[in-house]
Amino acid sequence: MTKLRLPIGIQTFRKIREENCYYVDKTPWIRTLLDEGSLFFLSRPRRFGKSLFLDTLKELFEGTETLFRGLYIHEGWDWSVRHPVLRLSFGSGNFKDPAQAHASLMAQLDAVERRTGTSSPYLTAPERLGHLLEQLHHQSGRPVVVLVDEYDKPILDALEAPEIARSNRDFLRGVYGVIKDCDAHIRFAFLTGVSKFSKVSLFSGLNNLKDLTLDPRYSAVCGYTDADLDSVFAPELPGLDRDEIRRWYNGYAWLGEQKVYNPFDILLLFDRRKFDAYWFETGTPSFLVETLFKRRVSTLALEDMLGTNDLLSRFDVDDIATEALLFQTGYLTVTDEEDLGGEPVYRLTYPNREVRESLNRSLLRYLVQDSSRQTANGVRLYRLLEMNDFDGLRTLFQAFYSSIPHQWYTNNDIADYEGFYASVFYSYFAALGLDITVEDSSSHGRLDMAVRFNGNVYLFEFKVVEMTPPGAAMAQLKSRRYADKYRSPDQSIWLIGVEFSKDTRNVVAFDVERG
């Protein structure tokens, strides 16, 4: 098996093909797209290969036949037909500046006009864009292909400044409205981004826009599948645990049968030969973390959330559903679809170990506000679990809650004390990458949390003493026989009843018994 160059950071189709890089053939999906329509939209998390997909479309419509030799679409494509391609991207720029969105688009139109020898009398971007599409059509005799990358970045960048975000949204609505008005001059259009803003807010009038985001047929249009790793990247696999690759990075799904990997993770894993949170570390989700805390979202709830089609699509400056925010940014993924009286309901959870572990670290960092102490607590927790030192665990958990600044409590009205305390508890375990199951149902009831580690299963029940009698957590663990489900000759079971006090804001009972 011959190793090829890893296309790390390369978003140019021509460069990948000419420099003998690994390439996963996405042209079968392009063939299907062209048979189904002419105006498409796709949202995927960052670094999922959207830009490369658009660049592949560009080269195809421009007729660079040599780049496609050996690929699926090569034999069935008419290489004598070439279309002008207008590719726009909002990938760079400081869009917290209210003038940047218009300036960015104008600069891109300048470059296209210089390259094509066209000109425009208009000084505003939408009118100039429409004029350019008409000129390119007449100049070439063929309708234009329009490709827009990171269509939503001017809005996302400014979400913490809502007035600017709304202004950018309104500007972009006018720009994308040109696609509808210039339909006669457009052969094909494809827009990509991270989020899925509602049609009403951003794509008003684009009734023929086909949204591929949750179309099962296009679930793997971006990203790598297991089959891709085993075939295209086979030379890179020796020396790496195949199951561990799946646990760390696989799991993204958009209702399709195949789950996919984020390409950025896989390429860096093959390059550095070690498991790490490569994708997560490329962007700090500060807005996401702050939003979760402001909305008092329990971290245990992130293991299993439900969302309707409406909720997953509700993404606008003034109305961002929590489920939509987590799903569209890639921190939760769809695991199942259920029918609820004719209405689809989607079950969401973390896609993989990387996201679960890293997001919970970020949540703890925001809460504890002391990275050194947080790290020390995490290391200590792991060591105590190795020794089954339960007295040490109780002392450590008390240190966890003591490390939360008093100011945090005074500025936040926590309605669900049990959920809040359990969330902090859960996040420390999740941040270590341990095997966790929350709210695990059995015929006897629903267990708060189970942790599997080192041949042990730790069954946790959480209570707040001001709301239940003393000892209620352990009593429930025993009376409902939660341990029955976990009995196995190769593992030990521990029942752990944890009780908190909302007055002292700490652990006041930590009862342990063998299950």
Side-chain angles (χ1 to χ4, degrees):
M1 295 185 293
T2 303
K3 287 192 174 185
L4 305 179
R5 180 181 174 187
L6 292 165
I8 298 172
I10 302 177
Q11 301 176 359
T12 306
F13 179 70
R14 177 183 293 274
K15 190 172 183 179
I16 285 177
R17 298 294 284 169
E18 292 182 343
E19 296 188 7
N20 200 33
C21 297
Y22 291 106
Y23 176 69
V24 173
D25 188 1
K26 297 296 182 180
T27 63
W29 283 274
I30 295 177
R31 179 73 274 172
T32 305
L33 282 174
L34 295 172
D35 291 338
E36 290 192 351
S38 60
L39 180 56
F40 299 95
F41 167 78
L42 176 74
S43 75
R44 286 292 185 267
R46 54 192 167 84
R47 295 187 178 273
F48 243 91
K50 302 184 296 294
S51 298
L52 176 59
F53 187 74
L54 287 187
D55 201 62
T56 306
L57 286 166
K58 169 187 173 294
E59 296 290 354
L60 183 68
F61 279 106
E62 288 181 342
T64 50
E65 183 262 345
T66 56
L67 299 180
F68 291 86
R69 289 175 184 169
L71 300 184
Y72 175 87
I73 206 166
H74 181 265
E75 295 305 317
W77 189 256
D78 186 351
W79 297 102
S80 66
V81 178
R82 293 178 171 84
H83 289 268
V85 176
L86 176 60
R87 184 173 180 184
L88 303 173
S89 174
F90 292 101
S92 60
N94 175 21
F95 295 106
K96 294 179 182 178
D97 178 345
Q100 181 62 37
H102 186 266
S104 173
L105 182 53
M106 292 293 275
Q108 293 183 68
L109 297 179
D110 280 342
V112 175
E113 289 176 355
R114 286 194 303 270
R115 188 176 67 251
T116 58
T118 57
S119 62
S120 172
Y122 299 104
L123 299 177
T124 52
E127 289 73 20
R128 191 175 175 191
L129 174 60
H131 185 262
L132 178 59
L133 290 170
E134 182 179 359
Q135 282 193 306
L136 291 176
H137 186 185
H138 291 321
Q139 183 185 69
S140 66
R142 298 191 185 279
V144 184
V145 171
V146 179
L147 307 174
V148 183
D149 200 9
E150 300 201 53
Y151 87 101
D152 52 351
K153 192 170 181 290
I155 308 172
L156 297 180
D157 281 1
L159 283 177
E160 295 174 69
E163 288 187 9
I164 297 175
R166 282 191 288 270
S167 175
N168 289 346
R169 177 200 62 194
D170 295 341
F171 166 72
L172 291 174
R173 180 192 293 137
V175 171
Y176 301 139
V178 174
I179 297 175
K180 170 181 175 291
D181 295 338
C182 293
D183 179 67
H185 302 297
I186 295 175
R187 161 66 179 89
F188 179 89
F190 201 98
L191 292 81
T192 72
V194 168
S195 60
K196 179 186 172 185
F197 281 86
S198 68
K199 284 188 178 182
V200 174
S201 70
L202 201 55
F203 297 125
S204 179
L206 282 176
N207 298 323
N208 58 334
L209 179 68
K210 288 193 176 182
D211 181 6
L212 307 179
T213 302
L214 280 174
D215 188 327
R217 296 170 298 174
Y218 296 95
S219 184
V221 69
C222 289
Y224 298 153
T225 65
D226 255 330
D228 294 331
L229 264 64
D230 291 333
S231 57
V232 177
F233 295 100
E236 303 293 334
L237 293 175
L240 293 170
D241 186 321
R242 192 69 181 80
D243 290 332
E244 198 68 6
I245 295 175
R246 292 189 183 94
R247 280 191 292 269
W248 265 88
Y249 304 120
N250 198 18
Y252 292 96
W254 289 271
L255 297 183
E257 293 182 3
Q258 292 180 312
K259 295 181 179 180
V260 299
Y261 298 83
N262 184 310
F264 187 77
D265 275 323
I266 293 303
L267 294 177
L268 285 181
L269 170 66
F270 289 155
D271 180 55
R272 301 182 186 178
R273 316 301 295 179
K274 63 174 289 190
F275 294 94
D276 208 342
Y278 299 114
W279 172 78
F280 193 93
E281 291 172 357
T282 60
T284 303
S286 57
F287 175 78
L288 171 67
V289 171
E290 290 171 10
T291 300
L292 292 178
F293 272 100
K294 287 176 182 177
R295 298 181 181 182
R296 300 184 221 112
V297 177
S298 166
T299 55
L300 281 80
L302 301 183
E303 286 277 358
D304 186 17
M305 295 190 84
L306 295 176
T308 63
N309 218 14
D310 176 59
L311 279 177
L312 297 189
S313 302
R314 190 184 300 164
F315 202 98
D316 199 5
V317 177
D318 303 305
D319 185 15
I320 304 177
T322 302
E323 296 85 350
L325 179 63
L326 289 161
F327 166 65
Q328 294 183 26
T329 51
Y331 298 103
L332 294 184
T333 196
V334 177
T335 60
D336 193 22
E337 179 183 10
E338 302 172 13
D339 184 276
L340 193 64
E343 172 74 14
V345 177
Y346 305 110
R347 193 169 295 277
L348 308 171
T349 191
Y350 295 109
N352 50 46
R353 173 178 172 174
E354 177 195 19
V355 177
R356 176 190 284 111
E357 183 176 322
S358 301
L359 182 56
N360 278 280
R361 283 181 183 170
S362 290
L363 291 167
L364 287 172
R365 191 175 301 119
Y366 182 86
L367 185 63
V368 176
Q369 298 178 13
D370 185 337
S371 297
S372 297
R373 181 182 295 179
Q374 175 195 335
T375 301
N377 284 345
V379 172
R380 183 66 177 153
L381 171 57
Y382 195 91
R383 298 302 179 216
L384 291 170
L385 283 174
E386 287 183 317
M387 298 181 290
N388 276 342
D389 183 346
F390 297 109
D391 289 336
L393 286 172
R394 172 177 178 150
T395 301
L396 183 61
F397 293 145
Q398 289 173 330
F400 289 172
Y401 295 98
S402 296
S403 67
I404 300 174
H406 178 76
Q407 182 183 7
W408 197 95
Y409 292 95
T410 59
N411 290 342
N412 292 270
D413 178 20
I414 302 298
D416 180 3
Y417 283 91
E418 182 180 311
F420 163 67
Y421 289 121
S423 289
V424 177
F425 201 95
Y426 161 84
S427 289
Y428 267 106
F429 283 95
L432 292 175
L434 301 182
D435 182 358
I436 304 172
T437 304
V438 300
E439 296 189 347
D440 194 14
S441 297
S442 69
S443 59
H444 305 298
R446 179 172 292 181
L447 175 70
D448 282 342
M449 187 171 81
V451 178
R452 294 175 176 84
F453 175 74
N454 202 26
N456 295 282
V457 182
Y458 306 95
L459 307 182
F460 292 94
E461 191 67 28
F462 305 112
K463 298 294 182 187
V464 174
V465 292
E466 286 86 356
M467 302 167 68
T468 56
M474 179 57 72
Q476 182 167 320
L477 284 166
K478 295 165 70 173
S479 65
R480 297 191 179 180
R481 298 167 54 190
Y482 288 139
D484 291 355
K485 183 176 181 178
Y486 298 90
R487 298 197 188 283
S488 170
D490 59 350
Q491 62 186 15
S492 300
I493 298 176
W494 301 91
L495 307 180
I496 306 177
V498 183
E499 298 182 359
F500 309 100
S501 169
K502 63 181 182 180
D503 293 331
T504 64
R505 299 167 181 155
N506 215 313
V507 176
V508 293
F510 190 82
D511 301 322
V512 181
E513 292 187 20
R514 290 293 293 261

